[in-house]
């Protein structure tokens, strides 16, 4: 039975390209200064669980792309980079990558042999994060998750239009990525499980970046509000190539969210199919938004009469992921309350960027974006695959 909180269709076992650790100095490889204190300002933990064969090679390219950013920068600016990657459903590695003599050096720290799906449990996630933190102690930590994604949707949920994913085997359809394994429920993890794992590790992330589809949604942000300060993700499907790490890698290491959005926009504006969306959510502002949405939903308990006019940001029929700001503009007719919402939304999503259109492999179409707030919401969905689950999310409980 699904637990009554918001979820993410995520995490497969971790792909076997081990966790990558980068250190700025070739001789700063042990993770600690002589006095025993943390030697890194921040450790970025790249988390690449098993998500199927089709995406694995792109994970490898992502790692090489990040290495390009580090080499072009001449180091990691006092930060470290760790990567956990699964080669297949049973074998994963933790790798530390350091920088020295003009290049990056990969050092395999640990091999994991999984006999079951322990990595999809909070205990397993906590253990892997703990292993990475032990190897690269830092003042702060951040996490970048590369996988497939289905937003807050519970693991194991079958969305009917996902069957059109088979179109990806046909010419002309560009592959996209999402969180977890797109078809095997054994390698999917709920968002709350991820949050519980991070909390059990005793670490609060500076940010969690999802290099996956549909992860920039208010339901996910609410579930992660206590384990990360910021959420960086796409509202829509993201191309299989993922985040342009060669362009934004150093910005990620230095928590420069504005530059991350600018680099992402520049890359996808010049992509073969110029489609890309990104939002940076300040999770410290999520509770404030929940308070306002509780007032709005209390005043308009019936919701919107017609969701067809709301900006959709997915390829599903009926729509699952709607633009958050546009939804509330249709829902709330109280000008003062709507003004409060928009002011809080500006604080909640300080940085965002979008191309003129977004792409979905489900339809193999590009759709114009008329309004974009950097976050989605699923409250108005009529999609029978998830309509009941929406009302079981922590966000829904907090705002209705």
């Amino acid at each position: 039975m699904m637990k009554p909180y918001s979820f993410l269709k995520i995490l497969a076992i971790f792909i076997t390209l081990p966790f990558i650790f980068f250190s700025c100095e070739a001789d700063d490889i042990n993770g600690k200064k002589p006095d025993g204190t943390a030697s890194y300002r921040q450790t970025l933990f790249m988390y690449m669980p098993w998500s199927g064969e089709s995406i694995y090679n792109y994970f490898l390219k992502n790692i090489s792309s990040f290495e390009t950013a580090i080499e072009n920068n001449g180091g990691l600016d006092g930060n470290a980079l760790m990567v956990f990657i699964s080669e297949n459903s049973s074998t994963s590695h933790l790798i530390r990558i350091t920088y020295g003599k003009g290049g990056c050096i990969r050092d395999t720290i640990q091999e994991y042999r999984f006999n079951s799906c322990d990595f999809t449990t909070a205990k397993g996630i906590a253990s892997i994060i703990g292993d990475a933190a032990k190897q690269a102690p830092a003042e702060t930590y951040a996490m970048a998750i590369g996988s497939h994604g289905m937003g807050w949707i519970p693991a194991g949920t079958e969305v009917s239009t996902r069957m059109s994913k088979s179109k990806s085997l046909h010419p002309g359809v560009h592959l996209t990525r999402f969180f977890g394994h797109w078809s095997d429920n054994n390698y999917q993890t709920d968002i709350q499980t991820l949050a519980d794992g991070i909390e059990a590790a005793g670490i609060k992330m500076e940010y969690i970046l999802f290099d996956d589809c549909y992860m920039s949604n208010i339901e996910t942000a609410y579930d992660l509000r206590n384990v990360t300060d910021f959420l960086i993700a796409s509202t829509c499907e993201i191309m299989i190539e993922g985040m342009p790490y060669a362009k934004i890698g150093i910005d990620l290491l230095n928590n420069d969210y504005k530059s991350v959005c600018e680099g992402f926009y520049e890359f996808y504006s010049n992509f073969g199919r110029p489609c890309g969306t990104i939002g940076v959510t300040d999770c410290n502002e999520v509770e404030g938004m929940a308070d306002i949405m509780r007032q709005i939903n209390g005043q308009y308990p019936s919701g919107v009469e017609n969701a067809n006019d709301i900006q959709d940001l997915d390829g599903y029929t009926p729509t699952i992921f709607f633009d958050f700001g546009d939804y509330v503009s249709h829902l709330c007719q109280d000008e003062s309350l709507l003004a409060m919402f928009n002011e809080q939304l500006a604080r909640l999503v300080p940085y965002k960027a979008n191309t003129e259109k977004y792409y979905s492999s489900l339809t193999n179409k590009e759709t114009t974006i008329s309004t974009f707030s950097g976050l989605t919401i699923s409250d108005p969905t009529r999609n029978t695959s998830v309509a009941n689950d929406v009302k079981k999310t922590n966000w829904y409980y907090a705002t209705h």
Side-chain angles (χ1 to χ4, degrees):
M1 180 179 296
M2 285 295 171
K3 298 179 181 178
Y5 38 53
S6 75
F7 308 90
L8 162 79
K9 182 152 183 165
I10 107 188
L11 278 31
I13 44 188
F14 311 105
I15 296 192
T16 154
L17 226 194
F19 255 121
I20 302 178
F21 254 128
F22 290 98
S23 71
C24 276
E25 308 279 339
D27 58 354
D28 183 22
I29 195 171
N30 296 319
K32 290 186 178 181
K33 295 178 181 177
D35 61 2
T37 59
S39 65
Y40 302 113
R41 183 188 66 82
Q42 179 165 277
T43 291
L44 173 57
F45 176 57
M46 294 185 77
Y47 187 58
M48 296 176 167
W50 179 241
S51 305
E53 295 179 1
S54 63
I55 198 172
Y56 174 68
N57 286 334
Y58 288 96
F59 289 165
L60 300 182
K61 292 177 182 178
N62 291 156
I63 294 170
S64 295
S65 180
F66 213 131
E67 289 177 319
T68 296
I70 293 168
E71 290 167 355
N72 289 342
N73 187 61
L76 290 93
D77 294 345
N79 302 290
L81 180 61
M82 293 293 293
V83 178
F84 180 92
I85 184 167
S86 301
E87 177 181 318
N88 51 50
S89 61
S90 61
T91 306
S92 305
H93 292 87
L94 180 65
I95 298 173
R96 174 171 59 196
I97 296 181
T98 55
Y99 177 81
K101 297 182 180 179
C104 290
I105 305 162
R106 299 185 186 183
D107 182 19
T108 299
I109 302 299
Q110 186 170 340
E111 180 178 86
Y112 299 84
R113 293 282 183 176
F114 295 108
N115 295 320
S116 63
C117 298
D118 292 341
F119 49 84
T120 63
T121 68
K123 182 178 179 181
I125 293 169
S127 177
I128 294 167
I129 292 175
D131 289 343
K134 182 179 180 181
Q135 290 295 325
E139 297 173 7
T140 59
Y141 298 87
M143 194 171 185
I145 299 174
S147 190
H148 292 301
M150 284 289 291
W152 59 269
I153 298 175
T157 302
E158 293 295 333
V159 182
S160 59
T161 52
R162 174 58 67 185
M163 295 305 294
S164 63
K165 192 74 180 176
S166 60
K167 290 181 180 179
S168 298
L169 301 177
H170 301 164
V173 175
H174 195 99
L175 288 174
T176 58
R177 57 170 64 187
F178 53 100
F179 197 30
H181 197 291
W182 79 272
S183 63
D184 194 329
N185 297 345
N186 291 320
Y187 307 122
Q188 298 167 357
T189 304
D190 289 324
I191 289 293
Q192 188 63 51
T193 302
L194 171 65
D196 292 343
I198 295 172
E199 185 174 8
I203 292 174
K204 183 173 183 180
M205 302 294 173
E206 288 293 304
Y207 63 81
I208 296 176
L209 178 148
F210 282 107
D211 197 354
D212 326 285
C213 298
Y214 300 130
M215 297 313 302
S216 188
N217 59 83
I218 189 62
E219 294 88 352
T220 293
Y222 191 82
D223 272 357
L224 296 176
R225 70 194 186 283
N226 294 323
V227 296
T228 187
D229 286 328
F230 291 90
L231 169 67
I232 308 172
S234 174
T235 57
C236 307
E237 291 178 52
I238 187 169
M239 300 300 185
I240 193 70
E241 288 77 7
M243 292 287 173
Y245 293 106
K247 186 175 292 290
I248 68 173
I250 301 304
D251 297 325
L252 286 172
L253 291 176
N254 292 321
N255 301 351
D256 186 347
Y257 306 124
K258 182 175 184 291
S259 294
V260 166
C261 288
E262 292 173 347
F264 178 93
Y265 176 79
E266 180 183 350
F267 179 85
Y268 277 108
S269 292
N270 297 287
F271 194 70
R273 299 191 82 143
C275 297
T277 63
I278 190 171
V280 178
T281 301
D282 185 343
C283 292
N284 298 299
E285 298 290 344
V286 170
E287 290 284 12
M289 178 57 81
D291 291 341
I292 294 173
M293 285 306 301
R294 193 179 307 113
Q295 297 179 54
I296 294 176
N297 289 325
Q299 194 162 324
Y300 303 95
S302 298
V304 294
E305 292 184 7
N306 187 352
N308 293 334
D309 296 331
I310 303 171
Q311 174 72 62
D312 61 89
L313 291 169
D314 65 26
Y316 292 106
T317 304
T319 300
I320 297 177
F321 299 103
F322 298 85
D323 184 81
F324 187 26
D326 198 37
Y327 165 64
V328 176
S329 72
H330 283 76
L331 173 66
C332 182
Q333 304 306 308
D334 184 318
E335 291 186 4
S336 61
L337 198 52
L338 183 59
M340 287 175 57
F341 168 83
N342 286 326
E343 290 172 3
Q344 183 62 20
L345 181 60
R347 290 188 287 268
L348 180 66
V349 187
Y351 306 106
K352 60 186 178 180
N354 67 281
T355 53
E356 181 181 352
K357 298 179 179 181
Y358 74 86
Y359 172 77
S360 173
S361 66
L362 298 173
T363 60
N364 193 27
K365 294 180 180 179
E366 297 174 10
T367 302
T368 298
I369 300 175
S370 300
T371 180
F372 184 72
S373 64
L375 271 178
T376 64
I377 188 171
S378 297
D379 272 14
T381 187
R382 299 295 183 267
N383 193 305
T384 56
S385 297
V386 300
N388 290 330
D389 290 318
V390 170
K391 298 178 181 180
K392 299 175 184 178
T393 64
N394 285 330
W395 167 256
Y396 195 91
Y397 283 138
T399 57
H400 290 79

